[in-house]
Amino acid sequence: MKAARSVLRGAVRGVLSGRGAGLLLAMAGCGAMVGCGSGDDGTPSTARGSLEQLAAKAKCRAEIQTDAADLRQATCENGSRRYVLVTFTNARGQAEWLDEADDYGGTYLVGGSWVAVGGPADISALRERLGGTVVDAAGKHGGGHHGHRGG
């Protein structure tokens, strides 16, 4: 999972947060859980698809940053909204990535085979298009690190 570690240590370091594999396991049955974007609360069902398909659903312009065998990462912009989308080829890769994210604070949106990372307002808006579960964690290093948005 060298690519996953590289992503974590790279451009998204300041906006990552996590609860690790336990969070992923808790969301394995996301379709039945409240707050997973089931459509009952007005959010769409959790989106599925490739990085490009997710970006299209999010109505953003994706700029590919990492194209590895186990994951793909892109920065995504839609007007003043900016976030990072990461897709995974399998659940294990996503779980390992989330475990690595334990040390970082921030807000992210977790789907079946993807994670979006950004500021709280950006992630909230993204959830309206992609569904998923919002996680806001302080992290182990003091939290409050939501990165810088360009604009």
Side-chain angles (χ1 to χ4, degrees), residues 53-120:
Q53 291 167 327
L54 292 169
K57 289 177 186 175
K59 299 186 190 273
C60 71
R61 181 180 53 84
E63 186 174 317
I64 304 295
Q65 301 294 313
T66 303
D67 194 356
D70 51 352
L71 65 82
R72 297 182 73 215
Q73 172 195 327
T75 57
C76 209
E77 294 186 34
N78 178 340
S80 64
R81 304 265 183 231
R82 186 169 187 267
Y83 38 87
V84 174
L85 286 173
V86 185
T87 58
F88 304 88
T89 57
N90 58 55
R92 180 179 177 181
Q94 185 182 29
E96 289 176 1
W97 191 90
L98 289 168
D99 276 342
E100 289 286 323
D102 271 343
D103 288 340
Y104 304 92
T107 302
Y108 62 102
L109 183 63
V110 180
S113 62
W114 54 269
V115 174
V117 184

Side-chain angles (χ1 to χ4, degrees), residues 11 44 66 91 101 139-141:
T66 303
K140 295 178 184 174
H141 296 294

Side-chain angles (χ1 to χ4, degrees), residues 3-48:
R5 287 186 189 99
S6 175
V7 168
L8 283 167
R9 292 183 183 119
V12 299
R13 175 173 276 190
V15 293
L16 291 176
S17 62
R19 298 240 195 287
L23 172 65
L24 182 64
L25 292 173
M27 294 185 315
C30 195
M33 290 176 54
V34 175
C36 287
S38 64
D40 293 340
D41 64 353
T43 60
S45 296
T46 301
R48 299 182 186 277

